[in-house]
Amino acid sequence: MILDLLFPNHCIHCNRIIDPELLICDLCLTQIHFTHYNYFESNPIKEKCSLFFPVENAYALIQFEEEGLSRQIVHELKYKSREKAGKILADWTIERLEFKDEKPDLLMSVPLHPKKLKERGYNQLHLFTETLSSFYNIPFNHQLIKRNHYSKAQALKDKQHRLESVNTFSITQPITGKHILLIDDVFTTGNTVSSVAWEILNAGNNKVSVLVMAVDI
């Protein structure tokens, strides 16, 4: 309480003082471009995924814009130690995404390499995934797949290098006959999601759907 008075939380965009649990103020929230995609119907991210692997359903929460607030939010989460932003993004997702009677069997987020995890101190997708898991009552598994190679941030790579990843991930546990919802932060080329998806599909008679925080296509 005293710390909140001495060091109040500010909106990352306009710098207004806001509740300690928030990331942006209500006014700035109106500037975020939510996708309004239908998880069960054709949409841009599902169409892009289907070019690379058999995808069941797909959803993106917000549009990723290089000069927009969405980019600022994702960068706060990934590079500025604002892990709690993951819960806020999950809460926004919960307000907009309904699985009806077709819930996936398991939530799985794209892993970091152990070296990158040590550098960052947390996986930016874990709190997001765990918040969704709790609300929808769907189990999650953070150990099902591992990243085999350490690499610099995707945001710092040029497009060609992003497309050159080979054998980036591998399955660590037997899994078959499951519908897995694969979770990532930003969908750009689809290379990362595709690499993980094929590991899941090749592991057994599994199905893959995709959920990302932001889409840039």
Coordinates of all heavy atoms in Angstrom, one line a residue, residues 100-165:
K100 N -17.0 -23.1 -26.2 CA -18.3 -23.8 -26.3 C -18.1 -25.2 -25.8 O -17.5 -25.4 -24.7 CB -18.8 -23.8 -27.7 CG -19.0 -22.4 -28.3 CD -19.5 -22.4 -29.7 CE -19.6 -21.0 -30.2 NZ -20.0 -20.9 -31.7
D101 N -18.5 -26.2 -26.5 CA -18.3 -27.6 -26.1 C -17.2 -28.3 -26.8 O -17.1 -29.5 -26.8 CB -19.6 -28.4 -26.4 CG -20.8 -27.9 -25.6 OD1 -20.6 -27.5 -24.4 OD2 -21.9 -27.9 -26.1
E102 N -16.3 -27.5 -27.4 CA -15.2 -28.1 -28.1 C -13.8 -27.6 -27.6 O -12.9 -27.2 -28.3 CB -15.3 -27.7 -29.6 CG -16.6 -28.2 -30.3 CD -16.7 -27.8 -31.7 OE1 -15.6 -27.9 -32.4 OE2 -17.8 -27.5 -32.2
K103 N -13.6 -27.8 -26.3 CA -12.4 -27.4 -25.7 C -11.3 -28.3 -26.1 O -11.5 -29.5 -26.2 CB -12.5 -27.4 -24.1 CG -13.5 -26.4 -23.5 CD -13.2 -26.2 -22.0 CE -13.5 -27.5 -21.3 NZ -13.4 -27.3 -19.8
P104 N -10.1 -27.7 -26.3 CA -8.9 -28.6 -26.5 C -8.6 -29.4 -25.2 O -9.1 -29.1 -24.1 CB -7.8 -27.6 -26.8 CG -8.2 -26.3 -26.2 CD -9.7 -26.3 -26.3
D105 N -7.8 -30.5 -25.4 CA -7.5 -31.3 -24.3 C -6.3 -30.8 -23.4 O -6.2 -31.1 -22.3 CB -7.0 -32.7 -24.8 CG -8.1 -33.4 -25.6 OD1 -9.3 -33.5 -25.1 OD2 -7.9 -33.9 -26.7
L106 N -5.5 -30.0 -24.1 CA -4.2 -29.6 -23.4 C -3.8 -28.2 -23.9 O -3.9 -28.0 -25.1 CB -3.2 -30.6 -23.6 CG -1.8 -30.4 -22.9 CD1 -2.0 -30.6 -21.4 CD2 -0.8 -31.4 -23.5
L107 N -3.3 -27.4 -23.1 CA -2.6 -26.1 -23.5 C -1.1 -26.3 -23.4 O -0.6 -26.8 -22.5 CB -3.0 -25.0 -22.5 CG -4.5 -24.7 -22.3 CD1 -4.7 -23.5 -21.4 CD2 -5.2 -24.5 -23.6
M108 N -0.5 -25.8 -24.4 CA 1.0 -25.9 -24.5 C 1.6 -24.6 -25.1 O 1.2 -24.2 -26.2 CB 1.4 -27.1 -25.3 CG 2.9 -27.4 -25.2 SD 3.5 -28.6 -26.4 CE 3.6 -27.5 -27.8
S109 N 2.5 -24.0 -24.4 CA 3.1 -22.8 -24.9 C 4.5 -23.1 -25.6 O 5.1 -24.1 -25.2 CB 3.3 -21.7 -23.8 OG 4.0 -22.3 -22.7
V110 N 4.9 -22.2 -26.5 CA 6.2 -22.4 -27.1 C 7.3 -22.2 -26.1 O 7.2 -21.2 -25.4 CB 6.3 -21.3 -28.3 CG1 7.7 -21.4 -28.8 CG2 5.3 -21.6 -29.4
P111 N 8.2 -23.1 -25.9 CA 9.2 -23.0 -24.9 C 10.4 -22.1 -25.3 O 10.6 -21.8 -26.4 CB 9.7 -24.4 -24.8 CG 9.6 -25.0 -26.1 CD 8.3 -24.3 -26.7
L112 N 11.0 -21.6 -24.2 CA 12.3 -20.9 -24.4 C 13.4 -21.9 -24.2 O 13.3 -22.9 -23.6 CB 12.5 -19.8 -23.4 CG 11.5 -18.6 -23.4 CD1 11.8 -17.6 -22.3 CD2 11.6 -17.8 -24.7
H113 N 14.6 -21.6 -24.8 CA 15.8 -22.4 -24.6 C 16.2 -22.1 -23.1 O 16.0 -20.9 -22.6 CB 16.9 -21.9 -25.5 CG 18.1 -22.8 -25.4 ND1 19.1 -22.6 -24.5 CD2 18.5 -23.9 -26.1 CE1 20.1 -23.5 -24.7 NE2 19.7 -24.3 -25.6
P114 N 16.7 -23.1 -22.4 CA 17.1 -22.9 -21.0 C 18.0 -21.6 -20.8 O 17.9 -20.9 -19.8 CB 17.8 -24.1 -20.6 CG 17.2 -25.2 -21.5 CD 16.9 -24.5 -22.8
K115 N 18.9 -21.4 -21.7 CA 19.8 -20.2 -21.6 C 19.0 -18.9 -21.7 O 19.2 -18.0 -20.9 CB 20.8 -20.2 -22.7 CG 21.8 -19.1 -22.6 CD 22.9 -19.2 -23.6 CE 23.9 -18.0 -23.5 NZ 25.0 -18.1 -24.6
K116 N 18.0 -18.8 -22.6 CA 17.2 -17.7 -22.7 C 16.3 -17.5 -21.5 O 16.0 -16.4 -21.0 CB 16.3 -17.8 -24.0 CG 15.4 -16.6 -24.3 CD 16.1 -15.3 -24.5 CE 16.9 -15.3 -25.7 NZ 16.2 -15.4 -27.0
L117 N 15.8 -18.6 -21.0 CA 14.9 -18.6 -19.8 C 15.7 -18.0 -18.6 O 15.2 -17.2 -17.8 CB 14.4 -20.0 -19.5 CG 13.5 -20.1 -18.3 CD1 12.2 -19.3 -18.5 CD2 13.1 -21.6 -18.1
K118 N 16.9 -18.4 -18.5 CA 17.8 -17.9 -17.4 C 18.0 -16.4 -17.6 O 18.0 -15.7 -16.6 CB 19.1 -18.7 -17.4 CG 20.0 -18.3 -16.2 CD 21.2 -19.2 -16.1 CE 22.1 -18.8 -14.9 NZ 23.3 -19.7 -14.9
E119 N 18.3 -16.0 -18.8 CA 18.5 -14.6 -19.1 C 17.3 -13.7 -18.7 O 17.4 -12.7 -18.1 CB 18.9 -14.4 -20.5 CG 20.2 -14.9 -20.9 CD 20.5 -14.8 -22.4 OE1 19.6 -14.4 -23.2 OE2 21.6 -15.2 -22.9
R120 N 16.1 -14.2 -19.2 CA 14.9 -13.4 -19.0 C 14.3 -13.6 -17.6 O 13.7 -12.7 -17.1 CB 13.9 -13.8 -20.1 CG 12.6 -13.0 -20.1 CD 11.8 -13.3 -21.3 NE 12.5 -12.9 -22.5 CZ 12.1 -13.2 -23.7 NH1 11.0 -14.0 -23.9 NH2 12.7 -12.8 -24.8
G121 N 14.5 -14.8 -17.0 CA 14.0 -15.0 -15.7 C 12.6 -15.6 -15.7 O 12.1 -16.1 -14.6
Y122 N 11.9 -15.7 -16.8 CA 10.6 -16.3 -16.9 C 10.3 -16.5 -18.4 O 10.9 -15.8 -19.2 CB 9.6 -15.3 -16.3 CG 9.4 -14.0 -16.9 CD1 8.5 -13.7 -17.9 CD2 10.3 -12.9 -16.6 CE1 8.4 -12.5 -18.6 CE2 10.2 -11.7 -17.2 CZ 9.3 -11.5 -18.2 OH 9.2 -10.2 -18.8
N123 N 9.4 -17.4 -18.6 CA 8.8 -17.6 -20.0 C 7.6 -16.7 -20.1 O 6.7 -16.8 -19.3 CB 8.4 -19.0 -20.2 CG 7.9 -19.2 -21.7 OD1 7.1 -18.5 -22.2 ND2 8.4 -20.3 -22.3
Q124 N 7.6 -15.7 -21.0 CA 6.5 -14.8 -21.1 C 5.1 -15.4 -21.4 O 4.1 -14.7 -21.2 CB 6.8 -13.7 -22.2 CG 6.7 -14.2 -23.6 CD 8.0 -14.9 -24.1 OE1 8.9 -15.2 -23.3 NE2 8.0 -15.2 -25.4
L125 N 5.1 -16.6 -21.8 CA 3.9 -17.3 -22.1 C 3.3 -18.1 -20.9 O 2.1 -18.5 -21.0 CB 4.1 -18.2 -23.3 CG 4.5 -17.6 -24.6 CD1 4.8 -18.6 -25.6 CD2 3.4 -16.7 -25.1
H126 N 4.0 -18.4 -19.9 CA 3.6 -19.3 -18.9 C 2.4 -18.7 -18.0 O 1.4 -19.4 -17.8 CB 4.7 -19.6 -17.9 CG 5.7 -20.6 -18.5 ND1 6.7 -21.2 -17.8 CD2 5.7 -21.3 -19.7 CE1 7.4 -22.1 -18.6 NE2 6.7 -22.1 -19.7
L127 N 2.5 -17.5 -17.6 CA 1.4 -16.9 -16.8 C 0.2 -16.8 -17.6 O -1.0 -17.0 -17.2 CB 1.8 -15.6 -16.2 CG 0.8 -14.9 -15.2 CD1 0.4 -15.9 -14.1 CD2 1.4 -13.6 -14.7
F128 N 0.3 -16.4 -18.9 CA -0.8 -16.3 -19.8 C -1.5 -17.6 -20.0 O -2.7 -17.8 -19.8 CB -0.2 -15.8 -21.2 CG -1.3 -15.7 -22.3 CD1 -2.0 -14.6 -22.4 CD2 -1.4 -16.7 -23.2 CE1 -3.0 -14.5 -23.4 CE2 -2.3 -16.6 -24.3 CZ -3.1 -15.5 -24.4
T129 N -0.7 -18.7 -20.2 CA -1.2 -20.0 -20.4 C -1.9 -20.5 -19.1 O -3.0 -21.1 -19.1 CB -0.1 -21.0 -20.8 OG1 0.5 -20.5 -22.0 CG2 -0.6 -22.4 -20.9
E130 N -1.2 -20.3 -17.9 CA -1.8 -20.8 -16.7 C -3.1 -20.1 -16.3 O -4.0 -20.7 -15.7 CB -0.7 -20.6 -15.6 CG 0.5 -21.6 -15.8 CD 1.7 -21.1 -15.0 OE1 1.6 -20.3 -14.1 OE2 2.8 -21.6 -15.3
T131 N -3.2 -18.8 -16.6 CA -4.4 -18.1 -16.4 C -5.6 -18.7 -17.2 O -6.7 -18.9 -16.7 CB -4.3 -16.6 -16.7 OG1 -3.2 -16.1 -15.9 CG2 -5.5 -15.8 -16.3
L132 N -5.3 -18.9 -18.5 CA -6.3 -19.5 -19.3 C -6.7 -20.9 -18.8 O -7.9 -21.3 -18.8 CB -5.8 -19.6 -20.8 CG -5.5 -18.3 -21.5 CD1 -5.0 -18.6 -22.9 CD2 -6.7 -17.4 -21.5
S133 N -5.7 -21.7 -18.4 CA -5.9 -23.0 -17.9 C -6.9 -23.0 -16.7 O -7.8 -23.9 -16.7 CB -4.6 -23.7 -17.5 OG -4.8 -24.9 -16.8
S134 N -6.6 -22.1 -15.8 CA -7.5 -22.0 -14.6 C -8.9 -21.7 -15.0 O -9.9 -22.3 -14.4 CB -6.9 -21.0 -13.7 OG -7.7 -20.8 -12.5
F135 N -9.1 -20.7 -15.9 CA -10.4 -20.2 -16.2 C -11.2 -21.3 -17.0 O -12.4 -21.6 -16.7 CB -10.4 -18.9 -17.0 CG -11.7 -18.4 -17.4 CD1 -12.5 -17.7 -16.5 CD2 -12.2 -18.7 -18.7 CE1 -13.8 -17.3 -16.9 CE2 -13.5 -18.2 -19.0 CZ -14.3 -17.5 -18.1
Y136 N -10.6 -21.9 -18.0 CA -11.3 -22.8 -18.9 C -11.3 -24.2 -18.4 O -11.9 -25.1 -19.0 CB -10.7 -22.8 -20.3 CG -10.9 -21.5 -21.0 CD1 -9.8 -20.6 -21.3 CD2 -12.1 -21.1 -21.5 CE1 -10.0 -19.5 -22.0 CE2 -12.3 -19.9 -22.1 CZ -11.2 -19.1 -22.4 OH -11.4 -17.9 -23.1
N137 N -10.5 -24.5 -17.3 CA -10.4 -25.8 -16.8 C -9.8 -26.8 -17.8 O -10.3 -27.9 -18.0 CB -11.7 -26.3 -16.2 CG -11.6 -27.6 -15.4 OD1 -10.5 -27.8 -14.7 ND2 -12.6 -28.4 -15.3
I138 N -8.7 -26.3 -18.4 CA -8.0 -27.2 -19.4 C -6.6 -27.3 -18.8 O -5.9 -26.3 -18.5 CB -7.9 -26.5 -20.8 CG1 -9.3 -26.2 -21.3 CG2 -7.2 -27.4 -21.7 CD1 -9.4 -25.4 -22.6
P139 N -6.0 -28.5 -18.7 CA -4.7 -28.7 -18.2 C -3.6 -28.1 -19.1 O -3.9 -27.9 -20.3 CB -4.5 -30.2 -18.1 CG -5.5 -30.8 -19.0 CD -6.7 -29.8 -19.0
F140 N -2.5 -27.8 -18.6 CA -1.3 -27.3 -19.4 C -0.1 -28.1 -19.1 O 0.0 -28.8 -18.1 CB -1.0 -25.8 -19.1 CG -0.5 -25.6 -17.7 CD1 0.8 -25.6 -17.4 CD2 -1.4 -25.2 -16.7 CE1 1.3 -25.4 -16.1 CE2 -1.0 -25.0 -15.4 CZ 0.4 -25.1 -15.1
N141 N 0.8 -28.1 -20.0 CA 2.1 -28.8 -19.9 C 3.2 -28.0 -20.4 O 3.3 -27.8 -21.6 CB 2.0 -30.2 -20.6 CG 3.2 -31.1 -20.3 OD1 4.3 -30.6 -20.0 ND2 3.0 -32.4 -20.3
H142 N 4.1 -27.5 -19.5 CA 5.2 -26.7 -20.0 C 6.4 -27.5 -20.3 O 7.4 -26.9 -20.8 CB 5.6 -25.7 -18.8 CG 4.6 -24.6 -18.5 ND1 3.8 -24.1 -19.5 CD2 4.2 -24.1 -17.3 CE1 3.0 -23.2 -18.9 NE2 3.2 -23.1 -17.7
Q143 N 6.4 -28.8 -20.1 CA 7.6 -29.7 -20.3 C 7.4 -30.6 -21.5 O 8.3 -31.4 -21.8 CB 7.9 -30.5 -19.1 CG 8.5 -29.8 -17.9 CD 7.5 -28.9 -17.2 OE1 6.4 -29.3 -16.8 NE2 7.9 -27.6 -16.9
L144 N 6.3 -30.5 -22.2 CA 6.0 -31.4 -23.3 C 6.9 -31.3 -24.5 O 7.2 -32.3 -25.2 CB 4.5 -31.3 -23.8 CG 4.1 -32.2 -24.9 CD1 4.2 -33.6 -24.5 CD2 2.7 -31.8 -25.3
I145 N 7.4 -30.1 -24.7 CA 8.3 -29.8 -25.8 C 9.5 -29.0 -25.4 O 9.3 -28.1 -24.5 CB 7.5 -29.2 -27.0 CG1 8.3 -29.4 -28.3 CG2 7.1 -27.8 -26.7 CD1 7.4 -29.2 -29.6
K146 N 10.6 -29.1 -26.0 CA 11.8 -28.3 -25.6 C 12.3 -27.7 -26.9 O 12.2 -28.2 -28.0 CB 12.8 -29.2 -25.0 CG 13.5 -30.2 -25.9 CD 14.6 -30.9 -25.1 CE 15.3 -31.9 -26.1 NZ 16.5 -32.6 -25.4
R147 N 13.0 -26.5 -26.7 CA 13.7 -25.8 -27.7 C 15.1 -26.3 -27.7 O 15.8 -26.3 -26.7 CB 13.6 -24.3 -27.5 CG 14.2 -23.5 -28.7 CD 14.2 -22.0 -28.4 NE 12.8 -21.5 -28.4 CZ 12.3 -20.9 -29.4 NH1 12.9 -20.7 -30.5 NH2 11.1 -20.4 -29.3
N148 N 15.6 -26.8 -28.9 CA 16.9 -27.4 -29.0 C 18.1 -26.4 -29.2 O 19.2 -26.8 -28.8 CB 16.9 -28.4 -30.1 CG 16.0 -29.5 -29.9 OD1 15.8 -30.0 -28.8 ND2 15.3 -29.9 -31.0
H149 N 17.8 -25.3 -29.7 CA 18.9 -24.3 -30.0 C 18.6 -23.0 -29.4 O 17.5 -22.5 -29.4 CB 19.0 -24.2 -31.5 CG 19.1 -25.5 -32.3 ND1 20.2 -26.4 -32.1 CD2 18.3 -26.1 -33.1 CE1 20.0 -27.4 -32.9 NE2 18.8 -27.3 -33.5
Y150 N 19.7 -22.4 -28.9 CA 19.6 -21.0 -28.4 C 19.8 -20.0 -29.6 O 20.6 -20.2 -30.5 CB 20.8 -20.7 -27.4 CG 20.8 -19.3 -27.0 CD1 20.0 -18.8 -26.0 CD2 21.7 -18.4 -27.5 CE1 20.1 -17.5 -25.5 CE2 21.8 -17.1 -27.1 CZ 21.0 -16.7 -26.1 OH 21.0 -15.4 -25.7
S151 N 18.9 -19.1 -29.7 CA 19.0 -18.1 -30.7 C 18.6 -16.7 -30.2 O 17.9 -16.6 -29.2 CB 18.1 -18.5 -31.9 OG 16.8 -18.5 -31.5
K152 N 19.0 -15.7 -31.0 CA 18.6 -14.3 -30.6 C 17.1 -14.2 -30.8 O 16.4 -15.0 -31.5 CB 19.4 -13.3 -31.4 CG 19.2 -13.4 -32.9 CD 20.1 -12.4 -33.6 CE 20.0 -12.5 -35.1 NZ 20.8 -11.6 -35.9
A153 N 16.5 -13.1 -30.3 CA 15.1 -12.9 -30.3 C 14.6 -12.8 -31.8 O 15.3 -12.3 -32.6 CB 14.7 -11.6 -29.6
Q154 N 13.4 -13.4 -32.0 CA 12.8 -13.4 -33.3 C 12.7 -11.9 -33.8 O 12.9 -11.7 -35.0 CB 11.4 -14.0 -33.3 CG 11.4 -15.5 -33.2 CD 11.8 -16.1 -34.6 OE1 13.0 -16.4 -34.8 NE2 10.8 -16.3 -35.4
A155 N 12.4 -11.0 -33.0 CA 12.2 -9.6 -33.4 C 13.5 -9.0 -33.9 O 13.5 -8.0 -34.7 CB 11.8 -8.8 -32.2
L156 N 14.7 -9.6 -33.6 CA 15.9 -9.1 -34.1 C 16.4 -9.8 -35.3 O 17.5 -9.4 -35.9 CB 17.0 -9.2 -32.9 CG 16.6 -8.5 -31.6 CD1 17.7 -8.7 -30.6 CD2 16.4 -7.0 -31.9
K157 N 15.7 -10.8 -35.8 CA 16.2 -11.6 -36.9 C 15.5 -11.0 -38.2 O 14.5 -10.4 -38.2 CB 15.7 -13.0 -36.8 CG 16.3 -13.8 -35.7 CD 15.8 -15.2 -35.7 CE 16.3 -16.0 -34.6 NZ 15.8 -17.4 -34.6
D158 N 16.2 -11.1 -39.3 CA 15.6 -10.7 -40.6 C 14.7 -11.9 -41.0 O 14.8 -13.0 -40.5 CB 16.6 -10.3 -41.6 CG 17.6 -11.5 -42.0 OD1 17.1 -12.6 -42.1 OD2 18.7 -11.2 -42.2
K159 N 13.8 -11.6 -42.0 CA 12.8 -12.6 -42.4 C 13.4 -13.9 -42.9 O 13.0 -15.0 -42.6 CB 11.9 -12.0 -43.4 CG 10.7 -12.8 -43.7 CD 9.7 -12.0 -44.6 CE 8.4 -12.7 -44.8 NZ 7.4 -11.9 -45.5
Q160 N 14.5 -13.8 -43.6 CA 15.1 -15.0 -44.2 C 15.7 -15.9 -43.1 O 15.5 -17.1 -43.1 CB 16.3 -14.6 -45.1 CG 17.0 -15.8 -45.8 CD 16.0 -16.6 -46.6 OE1 15.1 -16.1 -47.3 NE2 16.2 -18.0 -46.6
H161 N 16.3 -15.3 -42.1 CA 16.8 -16.2 -41.0 C 15.7 -16.8 -40.2 O 15.9 -17.9 -39.7 CB 17.7 -15.3 -40.1 CG 19.0 -14.9 -40.6 ND1 19.7 -13.9 -40.2 CD2 19.7 -15.5 -41.6 CE1 20.9 -13.8 -40.9 NE2 20.9 -14.8 -41.8
R162 N 14.6 -16.2 -40.1 CA 13.4 -16.8 -39.4 C 13.0 -18.0 -40.1 O 12.4 -19.0 -39.6 CB 12.3 -15.8 -39.3 CG 12.5 -14.6 -38.5 CD 11.3 -13.7 -38.4 NE 11.6 -12.4 -38.0 CZ 10.7 -11.4 -37.9 NH1 9.5 -11.6 -38.2 NH2 11.1 -10.2 -37.6
L163 N 13.1 -18.1 -41.4 CA 12.6 -19.2 -42.2 C 13.6 -20.3 -42.3 O 13.3 -21.4 -42.9 CB 12.3 -18.7 -43.7 CG 11.2 -17.7 -43.8 CD1 11.1 -17.1 -45.2 CD2 9.9 -18.3 -43.3
E164 N 14.8 -20.1 -41.7 CA 15.9 -21.2 -41.9 C 15.9 -22.1 -40.7 O 16.8 -23.0 -40.7 CB 17.2 -20.5 -42.0 CG 17.4 -19.8 -43.4 CD 18.7 -19.0 -43.5 OE1 19.4 -18.9 -42.4 OE2 19.0 -18.5 -44.6
S165 N 15.0 -22.0 -39.7 CA 15.1 -22.8 -38.5 C 14.8 -24.3 -38.9 O 13.8 -24.6 -39.6 CB 14.0 -22.4 -37.5 OG 14.3 -21.1 -37.1

